[in-house]
Amino acid sequence: MVLQRHENGTVSLVGEAPQRMRVARELLDEADSAFVTLNDSGDIMLTLTNAVLWYRRVGPVDGDPRQIEFERVG
């Protein structure tokens, strides 16, 4: 996923959003809460200037808790 941050502080999606993605836990820990929201289930919502994307938490990648796999649901 390619994101672009604009001078006014907003973030937009460049190109297509993947159906599945893997995210490092440390990246989530440092995520900008202005556009990345985690719910109680561990799902994430990306609120961008040109899209709102929901990803369902699938689970750790190959049992490695440092990486989490997500599947796009909306």
Side-chain angles (χ1 to χ4, degrees), residues 3 5-6 8 13 20 23 27 31-35 38 40 43-44 46 48 50 52 60-62 64 67 71 73:
L3 303 175
R5 184 177 292 275
H6 303 280
N8 65 3
L13 177 68
R20 293 176 83 88
V23 180
L27 182 65
D32 184 340
S33 59
F35 70 93
L38 279 105
D40 294 339
D43 303 339
I44 58 174
L46 304 170
L48 310 169
N50 60 344
V52 175
V61 177
D62 299 327
D64 183 353
Q67 291 190 51
E71 179 176 56
V73 292

Side-chain angles (χ1 to χ4, degrees), residues 47-69:
T47 306
L48 310 169
T49 57
N50 60 344
V52 175
L53 306 171
W54 271 103
Y55 281 86
R56 178 178 64 89
R57 183 180 188 273
V58 177
V61 177
D62 299 327
D64 183 353
R66 295 173 295 173
Q67 291 190 51
I68 304 169
E69 188 164 15

Side-chain angles (χ1 to χ4, degrees), residues 4 17 25-26 30-31 36-37 39-41 49-50 54 63:
Q4 179 181 14
R25 182 171 295 279
E26 65 185 15
E30 296 177 13
V36 177
T37 307
N39 67 14
D40 294 339
S41 303
T49 57
N50 60 344
W54 271 103

